[in-house]
Amino acid sequence: MENNSLDVNVELNMEVSQAGELTHTRISELGKLTRVGSSTYLRFNEKLENNDQAKIMVKVADNGEIHLKRVAEATNLASLLYFTNQEHNSGHLQTEYGIMPLQTFTRNSQVEILDRPLSGKINIDYDLIYDNNIVGNYKFRLIFKA
């Protein structure tokens, strides 16, 4: 499967707690899984309002670090976040007004990828931090299967 893309069904459930409000997002899409070296890439789209979409890429590195990139061209927003279990990481949000530095603290992360049958799950519980303040608590639950 080296350097080949395979179609996978992706289901992402996000729970976000910000300023006392709890929101849920569910994405169910066809995606592509690619392995390059010892890293695994999962790409899929998120449907937005007005028939727009955001492109999402999740990379699982061989050291267990998870990278999450989301680009929504219609709204001029792009984010790149990094997750390492029980560690702080630096990332950023790019807006039309400039780049905002962000941090994540990964409270818990789990990755399980099986080859036969091709399937997996990526779970991340994290805090999103801006200017040394926690702006939200996130639960990221992604499941995929060929």
Side-chain angles (χ1 to χ4, degrees), residues 67-78:
H67 305 182
L68 176 59
K69 182 177 184 178
R70 182 179 181 274
V71 177
E73 291 176 3
T75 58
N76 292 317
L77 291 175

Side-chain angles (χ1 to χ4, degrees), residues 62-98:
D62 60 348
N63 64 358
E65 186 174 271
I66 303 164
H67 305 182
L68 176 59
K69 182 177 184 178
R70 182 179 181 274
V71 177
E73 291 176 3
T75 58
N76 292 317
L77 291 175
S79 61
L80 182 56
L81 303 174
Y82 300 93
F83 306 96
T84 307
N85 199 37
Q86 293 291 304
E87 290 187 21
H88 284 88
N89 290 85
S90 295
H92 66 269
L93 174 66
Q94 184 173 339
T95 72
E96 60 187 296
Y97 304 108

Side-chain angles (χ1 to χ4, degrees), residues 12-18 22-23 25 46 56-58 66-70 79-93 102-110 122-130 133-142:
L12 172 61
N13 289 293
M14 290 268 303
E15 182 178 291
V16 180
S17 175
Q18 283 183 315
L22 190 63
T23 59
T25 303
E46 173 187 0
I56 298 175
M57 189 270 304
V58 180
I66 303 164
H67 305 182
L68 176 59
K69 182 177 184 178
R70 182 179 181 274
S79 61
L80 182 56
L81 303 174
Y82 300 93
F83 306 96
T84 307
N85 199 37
Q86 293 291 304
E87 290 187 21
H88 284 88
N89 290 85
S90 295
H92 66 269
L93 174 66
L102 297 173
Q103 278 199 319
T104 57
F105 175 70
T106 308
R107 288 181 273 120
N108 188 28
S109 66
Q110 297 174 313
I122 301 169
N123 294 340
I124 312 168
D125 296 339
Y126 67 97
D127 298 328
L128 188 63
I129 302 162
Y130 174 70
N133 295 302
I134 295 174
V135 294
N137 307 107
Y138 291 72
K139 290 186 178 185
F140 177 98
R141 303 288 183 265
L142 187 144

